[in-house]
Amino acid sequence: MKINSMKDLLINELRDLYGAEKQILKALPKMIKAATNAQLRSGFEKHLKETENQVTRLEQAFEKLGVSAKKKTCEGIKGIAEECEELISADPEAEILDAGLIEAAQKVEHYEMAGYGSVRTWARQLNLREVADLLQQTLEEEKATDKKLTELAESMVNQMAAAHT
Ligand SMILES: [Fe+2]
C-alpha cells in the first residue's frame, strides 16, 4: 500500500500487528507443548486466549477506520518464532528450555509493546479515540504478560535452569 499520510502509516502498522498476532496464535501452542513448568504453561495458555481477543480488537479497529482487515507477514515475529523453534529443536534439558522460552516470549511482548505503543499514540494524535482505546487495552495486556514472565523467570525458572550444570 502507498503510505502518504499518518493514517496510512497507522493502517500499515496495524496490518503488521494483525499478522503478528495471527503468527503468535500459531507459535504459542508449540511453546505450550514445549514448556515444562506448570505456571509457565498456564501463563502461555492464558496469553493464547488473550491473543484471540487481541485479533478481534484489531478487526474492530480496522472496521472503525473503514478499511479491510488485511494482514501482512510480520517479519519481526517470524524471526523470533524461528529462533524459538530452533531452541526447541536443540532439545535442551526441560528447565533450561523453560528459561529460553521465557526469553523468546518476552522478545515477542517487547516487539508488540513497541508496535502497540506507537499505533496507540498515532491514533490519539489523529483523534481516533475509539481506535486508541482498543490499542491501549491490548498494550496493557502485553505489558502485564511481560511483567509476569519476568516474575516467573526471577522467582523460579532461572534458578531451576541454573541447577543444571
Ligand atoms: Fe499480542
Side-chain angles (χ1 to χ4, degrees):
M1 68 179 275
K2 283 204 176 122
I3 300 171
N4 293 325
S5 66
M6 196 180 202
K7 193 176 172 189
D8 292 345
L9 187 66
L10 170 67
I11 291 164
N12 186 59
E13 182 59 21
L14 289 175
R15 287 181 170 155
D16 177 275
L17 286 165
Y18 192 47
E21 298 294 9
K22 296 223 165 178
Q23 288 160 234
I24 293 162
L25 283 180
K26 284 192 188 148
L28 271 171
K30 295 179 203 167
M31 295 169 80
I32 291 166
K33 207 174 148 218
T36 298
N37 182 282
Q39 285 186 26
L40 180 58
R41 225 175 27 239
S42 72
F44 283 157
E45 278 161 359
K46 181 174 176 246
H47 197 57
L48 182 58
K49 290 202 185 80
E50 282 177 343
T51 302
E52 284 164 6
N53 290 331
Q54 294 170 355
V55 166
T56 305
R57 273 189 214 117
L58 285 170
E59 286 164 354
Q60 290 167 343
F62 287 125
E63 206 181 309
K64 288 186 191 301
L65 288 161
V67 295
S68 59
K70 268 200 282 187
K71 63 175 161 43
K72 286 203 320 186
T73 297
C74 175
E75 297 294 343
I77 294 297
K78 193 177 158 198
I80 296 168
E82 281 170 5
E83 286 178 2
C84 183
E85 285 190 29
E86 206 179 291
L87 172 73
I88 295 168
S89 300
D91 200 25
E93 293 281 354
E95 288 81 3
I96 296 168
L97 179 57
D98 281 347
L101 290 171
I102 289 180
E103 190 219 10
Q106 289 196 284
K107 284 180 181 167
V108 169
E109 294 314 315
H110 281 243
Y111 182 98
E112 292 186 295
M113 281 152 57
Y116 279 109
S118 292
V119 289
R120 180 273 328 262
T121 303
W122 294 343
R124 280 183 186 158
Q125 180 69 41
L126 295 167
N127 284 319
L128 300 162
R129 298 266 167 81
E130 289 172 319
V131 173
D133 287 348
L134 287 164
L135 300 171
Q136 178 67 29
Q137 284 174 51
T138 296
L139 177 62
E140 278 162 18
E141 282 177 358
E142 311 294 20
K143 281 186 183 171
T145 300
D146 179 58
K147 194 163 171 262
K148 273 186 225 141
L149 287 165
T150 297
E151 285 164 5
L152 196 53
E154 291 181 354
S155 69
M156 184 187 328
V157 172
N158 287 350
Q159 283 94 320
M160 293 178 81
H164 285 277
T165 50

